[in-house]
Amino acid sequence: MKKLLLAAVAVVALSACESQQALYSWYNSEDASYQYTKRTTDDKLAAAMEQYKKVISGQNAARKVVPPGVNAEYGYLLVKSGQKAEGLKLLKEEVALYPESEKFISRIIKQLEK
């Protein structure tokens, strides 16, 4: 009887350790963004933009949606690098995916559309 009880406790304990799938795939974009912010160079900008492209195009996590803020950050970098139309498109996508960001991003969009 003790062995059966011990086995049941072990099964319950091990099933509680099951890992959960992440909501978003970040592909190390935080590090690229940090490196670019820390030292602004063309190489760091290109690396950060490449990471953001990877995050946007390769969402295979639980939600299958671009993480909050990624479209806005990448859009800002695109505008900064001279690709205004593409950057505005991504800023608007951020607002469409995350309406709560509209309060902040709408001002940026208005300034860029002038």
Side-chain angles (χ1 to χ4, degrees), residues 9 29 63 102:
V9 169
S29 63
R63 288 204 57 215
E102 192 270 334

Side-chain angles (χ1 to χ4, degrees), residues 25-27 29 48-60 64-67 69-75 78 86 89-91 93-94 97:
S25 300
W26 292 93
Y27 297 106
S29 63
M49 290 175 73
E50 194 60 39
Q51 282 301 109
Y52 283 127
K53 279 185 205 175
K54 190 175 183 179
V55 171
I56 290 170
S57 65
Q59 278 305 308
N60 58 4
K64 307 269 189 246
V65 176
V66 177
V70 171
N71 280 328
E73 290 177 26
Y74 184 43
L78 285 170
E86 185 66 25
K89 179 182 164 206
L90 285 172
L91 288 167
E93 273 186 45
E94 180 73 24
L97 285 173

Side-chain angles (χ1 to χ4, degrees), residues 26-37:
W26 292 93
Y27 297 106
N28 203 24
S29 63
E30 308 93 2
D31 185 52
S33 177
Y34 171 75
Q35 293 301 325
Y36 170 70
T37 306

Side-chain angles (χ1 to χ4, degrees), residues 36 40 45 49 73-84 87 112:
Y36 170 70
T40 305
L45 174 62
M49 290 175 73
E73 290 177 26
Y74 184 43
Y76 173 74
L77 291 180
L78 285 170
V79 168
K80 200 169 182 180
S81 69
Q83 301 174 41
K84 187 176 176 181
L112 291 172

